[in-house]
Amino acid sequence: MLANIYLHYVLDEWFVRDVQPRMKGRVFLVRYADDFVMGFTEESDAHRVMDVLPKRFGKYGLAIHPDKTRLIPFRKPAKPGRKDDPGSGGPGTFDLLGFTHYWDLSRKGAWVIKRKTARGRFTRAVRAVYQWCKANRHQPLQEQQRILSQKMRGHYAYYGLTGNYYLLSGFQSMVNRIWRKWLGRRKRDGQLCWDHFNGLLKRYPLPAAVVTHSVYQLAAKP
């Protein structure tokens, strides 16, 4: 809470008071705790702020993370065949709060910004499940099912955004594979065939991947 209040003064108020009035184009700032992203319609504005940002933070004893702070071209892709097509480099992507933000086509064929689970966060979530199943493989099946279900629902609750179903389903598949592997280690031969495991899932089912934050549901609300 104190860090949030501190950065509200160091960054948020400064951005509104001193930065926005001096920019040529439109700008915005999105911040959550100590993670933030700035958007600029003019590249020259982005370079100006990038040059002064470390000085602003240094004035208050803070530093910008050198590996996470960078300028990224994030323009809406041009229509195929046009001369202003961004080319092989593409429009760029960036990660914020565990999501990779990227441009993609909507169902109606319009370019929209979508979000998917960032690769590092996906790997970390899978590794955590792996370590848990390994350490708790001898626990009763009902208890394992309960804890794994909690972990999966928590994952879906955060990452269950429209457009991210593919990686939600991928997480579900990885949890199934990991659980099967470590349940198999309880046997002498260390194997658990898929037929046996699928039968076990009918008795101890794990939650299916689900989009919990749907833009279509929000649009349908009066």
Side-chain angles (χ1 to χ4, degrees), residues 43-183:
E43 184 177 351
S44 59
D45 289 339
H47 283 284
R48 288 177 61 192
V49 175
M50 188 70 169
D51 289 339
V52 74
L53 198 59
K55 300 175 184 177
R56 172 66 181 180
F57 273 59
K59 180 180 178 180
Y60 297 92
L62 303 175
I64 300 294
H65 197 295
D67 299 327
K68 295 182 178 180
T69 308
R70 54 198 176 103
L71 291 176
I72 302 170
F74 196 71
R75 304 179 183 89
K76 180 165 62 176
K79 294 182 179 179
R82 284 178 51 174
K83 293 182 180 180
D84 59 341
D85 194 296
S88 60
T93 66
F94 67 92
D95 291 351
L96 180 68
L97 302 179
F99 291 96
T100 296
H101 295 65
Y102 65 102
W103 286 98
D104 199 4
L105 293 174
S106 68
R107 293 179 178 179
K108 296 183 178 181
W111 285 108
V112 295
I113 298 175
K114 292 187 177 181
R115 290 169 290 176
K116 62 182 179 180
T117 311
R119 180 181 300 178
R121 291 296 185 90
F122 184 88
T123 301
R124 189 167 71 184
V126 170
R127 186 182 298 119
V129 170
Y130 185 95
Q131 295 297 335
W132 188 89
C133 287
K134 178 181 179 181
N136 295 274
R137 62 185 182 275
H138 295 297
Q139 295 293 324
L141 291 178
Q142 185 175 3
E143 180 65 10
Q144 292 191 49
Q145 177 218 24
R146 185 182 69 83
I147 299 299
L148 284 175
S149 295
Q150 289 179 348
K151 294 179 180 294
M152 295 174 75
R153 291 192 186 98
H155 187 89
Y156 301 153
Y158 186 81
Y159 294 104
L161 303 182
T162 298
N164 196 31
Y165 180 80
Y166 177 79
L167 285 175
L168 297 177
S169 180
F171 180 73
Q172 177 193 4
S173 178
M174 290 300 299
V175 172
N176 285 342
R177 290 176 178 272
I178 293 169
W179 198 26
R180 170 182 170 266
K181 172 180 178 176
W182 288 108
L183 289 181

Side-chain angles (χ1 to χ4, degrees), residues 23-25 38 40 46 67 77 79 98 109 121 125 154 158 161 174 186 191 198 202 206 214:
M23 298 292 100
K24 297 179 180 178
M38 295 178 177
F40 303 85
D67 299 327
K79 294 182 179 179
R121 291 296 185 90
Y158 186 81
L161 303 182
M174 290 300 299
R186 301 185 353 161
Q191 298 292 328
N198 288 331
K202 292 181 179 180
L206 295 177
S214 172

